[in-house]
């Protein structure tokens, strides 16, 4: 098979890029397409230091700094990729990658991290957090998102088979596109963690500082609790979070994988207040033997077992998180480290490789034989 992999943008090595990394390991001869590629030389190891075919957005003014603001142009840009030389196209989609144009003799499989969250069910939350609920700028944004939804729905018909990173996202795909999706959980490098490491007296959260991650909720809760908390990460909300944090909270900023691993192996518990599509860090925490205290909605409900490997609090509020931490502090739940590690290993890289390769090869064989794809 001649394989092309299409990803929206390459600017970091985060969750969706870790999936792309493993897809490229499965198909090392594949060519990689991305709307923009701003990876530094030190970051290029996960794509095998291969060259990337980019779109015209790469060359637009200030695109390295503000490429996300070119969202209205992204549907047009992704349609300009010439993929005619490939038998199989694998799109890694959380915005527009699934909108590439293919021919009838080509198989297009889309691995969906999420349908465009800010255009669908999270539109109102996005507008509220961005201060765009009213005014001319807010009206223009709503119009853009309206047309983006129309294009997103139409472009779903270009996909032969959908894969989802969780049951939660499979439901979102059905809601947005009325298409079934096969769930293949993302790969998590559980082998890098030592789960029997001695524990220190601090809680940990690792996150980008963006509104939907709700780092502010964690800070407010621990300001009330007065318990030691370490936060690793950075982002647009850095200054606001820093101003909120009490003396019991340490903000370390962005750190290396080695530092993250060390803290996960030593922390008393891992805090995860976001509603995520899947959530790799809660699985990593369990691999490190750290119980997870998480908001009980989204992909985390498929990776954390309440009362066995963590605590799922019912409401995305400060009070709900505070009560969950207090119940953990008094030992209300017996969270065995062996159970934590066993649960994490269900999401290993090897499991992803086996399931993904089997799915692609069986689907391609059926496609060539004219069998139904879903």
């Amino acid at each position: 098979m001649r394989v092309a992999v299409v990803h929206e943008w390459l600017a970091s090595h985060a969750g969706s890029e870790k999936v792309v990394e493993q897809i490229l390991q499965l198909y090392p001869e594949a060519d990689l397409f991305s709307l923009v590629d701003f990876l530094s030389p030190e970051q290029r190891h996960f794509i095998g230091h291969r060259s990337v075919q980019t779109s015209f957005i790469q060359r637009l003014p200030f695109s390295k700094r503000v490429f996300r603001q070119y969202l209205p142009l992204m549907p047009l840009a992704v349609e300009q990729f010439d993929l005619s030389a490939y038998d199989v196209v694998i799109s890694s989609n959380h915005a527009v990658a699934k909108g590439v144009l293919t021919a009838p003799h080509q198989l297009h499989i889309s691995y969906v991290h999420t349908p465009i969250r800010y255009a669908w069910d999270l539109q109102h939350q996005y507008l509220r957090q961005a201060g765009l609920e009213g005014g001319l700028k807010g009206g223009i944004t709503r119009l853009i998102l309206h047309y983006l939804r129309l294009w997103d729905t139409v472009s779903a018909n270009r996909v032969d088979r959908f894969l989802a990173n969780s049951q939660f996202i499979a439901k979102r795909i059905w809601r947005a596109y009325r298409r079934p999706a096969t769930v293949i959980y993302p790969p998590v490098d559980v082998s890098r963690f030592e789960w029997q490491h001695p524990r220190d007296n601090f809680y940990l959260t690792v996150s980008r500082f963006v509104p939907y991650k709700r780092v502010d909720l964690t800070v407010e809760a621990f300001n009330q609790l007065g318990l030691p908390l370490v936060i690793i990460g950075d982002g647009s909300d850095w200054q606001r979070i820093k101003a909120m944090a009490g003396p019991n909270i340490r903000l370390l900023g962005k750190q290396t994988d080695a530092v993250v691993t060390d803290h996960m192996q030593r922390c008393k518990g891992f805090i995860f207040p976001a509603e995520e599509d899947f959530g790799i860090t809660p699985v990593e925490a369990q691999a490190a033997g750290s119980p997870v205290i998480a908001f009980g909605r989204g992909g985390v409900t498929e990776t954390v077992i309440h009362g066995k490997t963590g605590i799922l609090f019912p409401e995305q509020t400060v009070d709900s998180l505070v009560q969950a931490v207090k119940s953990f502090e008094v030992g209300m739940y017996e969270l065995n480290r062996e159970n934590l590690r066993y649960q994490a290993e269900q999401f290993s890289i090897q499991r992803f490789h086996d399931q993904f390769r089997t799915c692609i090869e069986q689907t391609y064989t059926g496609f060539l034989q004219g069998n139904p794809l879903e």
Side-chain angles (χ1 to χ4, degrees):
M1 297 184 301
R2 292 169 297 176
V3 178
V5 177
V6 184
H7 189 57
E8 269 99 12
W9 49 75
L10 293 167
S12 64
H13 187 203
S16 61
E17 287 77 29
K18 290 178 180 179
V19 174
V20 170
E21 176 182 12
Q22 297 307 321
I23 293 173
L24 293 175
Q25 288 194 19
L26 285 170
Y27 301 101
E29 302 301 318
D31 290 327
L32 181 58
F33 294 76
S34 178
L35 295 177
V36 297
D37 173 15
F38 295 122
L39 294 174
S40 66
E42 308 83 61
Q43 293 175 309
R44 305 192 72 80
H45 63 90
F46 81 89
I47 61 169
H49 297 278
R50 55 171 36 85
S51 62
V52 179
Q53 298 190 50
T54 59
S55 74
F56 65 81
I57 293 178
Q58 178 88 16
R59 300 180 293 278
L60 293 179
F62 312 109
S63 61
K64 185 173 184 178
R65 184 165 52 88
V66 299
F67 65 86
R68 290 178 179 84
Q69 295 184 25
Y70 288 119
L71 177 65
L73 296 177
M74 289 183 182
L76 173 64
V78 81
E79 291 176 345
Q80 305 313 304
F81 287 138
D82 181 2
L83 303 173
S84 58
Y86 303 96
D87 303 305
V88 177
V89 175
I90 302 172
S91 58
S92 164
N93 182 87
H94 56 72
V96 300
K98 68 170 178 45
V100 291
L101 302 179
T102 56
H105 66 276
Q106 295 175 293
L107 174 65
H108 178 189
I109 298 177
S110 186
Y111 187 94
V112 178
H113 309 280
T114 179
I116 313 176
R117 58 169 68 94
Y118 36 82
W120 290 100
D121 52 322
L122 297 185
Q123 172 186 289
H124 300 293
Q125 177 182 331
Y126 164 75
L127 292 171
R128 182 169 57 253
Q129 292 173 341
L132 295 171
E133 291 182 283
L136 178 60
K137 191 174 180 180
I140 293 173
T141 302
R142 289 174 187 273
L143 184 63
I144 290 171
L145 293 178
H146 169 72
Y147 283 104
L148 191 59
R149 276 191 296 276
L150 295 178
W151 177 87
D152 194 40
T153 303
V154 169
S155 65
N157 293 319
R158 303 172 188 173
V159 177
D160 295 304
R161 184 172 188 178
F162 278 106
L163 307 180
N165 71 358
S166 64
Q167 296 291 346
F168 179 64
I169 291 305
K171 292 177 182 177
R172 274 186 168 171
I173 291 170
W174 178 258
R175 172 63 62 185
Y177 312 136
R178 286 298 189 261
R179 295 281 300 279
T182 301
V183 175
I184 298 179
Y185 291 110
V188 182
D189 187 6
V190 299
S191 63
R192 78 179 224 242
F193 298 97
E194 168 53 57
W195 60 277
Q196 294 175 310
H197 199 283
R199 299 286 129 177
D200 291 340
N201 185 33
F202 70 90
Y203 290 87
L204 175 70
T205 190
V206 179
S207 175
R208 286 184 293 120
F209 285 24
V210 293
Y212 86 94
K213 296 286 189 179
R214 297 310 311 271
V215 180
D216 58 331
L217 190 153
T218 301
V219 169
E220 289 183 42
F222 276 80
N223 281 341
Q224 287 189 26
L225 290 161
L227 296 171
L229 172 70
V230 174
I231 302 178
I232 296 176
D234 63 3
S236 59
D237 270 4
W238 169 265
Q239 291 299 331
R240 184 171 72 92
I241 297 300
K242 184 179 179 181
M244 293 171 56
N248 58 308
I249 299 174
R250 293 176 58 211
L251 276 69
L252 301 186
K254 187 176 182 180
Q255 296 292 329
T256 64
D257 286 348
V259 172
V260 173
T261 299
D262 174 63
H263 280 77
M264 282 190 170
Q265 291 174 166
R266 292 189 295 112
C267 70
K268 187 176 186 178
F270 187 81
I271 310 299
F272 191 78
E275 180 182 339
E276 273 283 16
D277 311 318
F278 173 72
I280 288 178
T281 53
V283 178
E284 292 178 331
Q286 291 173 95
S290 298
V292 177
I293 302 173
F295 174 48
R297 189 181 298 171
V300 74
T301 63
E302 301 169 47
T303 61
V304 176
I305 304 173
H306 179 69
K308 188 173 182 180
T309 68
I311 300 171
L312 301 178
F313 55 93
E315 298 177 355
Q316 201 176 34
T317 63
V318 172
D319 183 63
S320 190
L321 174 54
V322 166
Q323 294 306 314
V325 174
K326 286 182 176 179
S327 68
F328 178 74
E329 282 281 316
V330 300
M332 187 177 296
Y333 300 94
E334 185 176 343
L335 306 176
N336 183 283
R337 287 198 204 175
E338 290 186 12
N339 292 336
L340 290 164
R341 181 68 180 205
Y342 177 80
Q343 176 66 2
E345 288 175 349
Q346 309 312 302
F347 305 93
S348 68
I349 289 174
Q350 187 58 54
R351 175 213 46 85
F352 175 84
H353 281 187
D354 293 342
Q355 292 185 354
F356 195 88
R357 182 191 296 110
T358 298
C359 179
I360 298 298
E361 293 178 358
Q362 288 182 350
T363 304
Y364 185 57
T365 299
F367 179 74
L368 293 178
Q369 295 172 349
N371 296 331
L373 294 171
E374 297 173 342

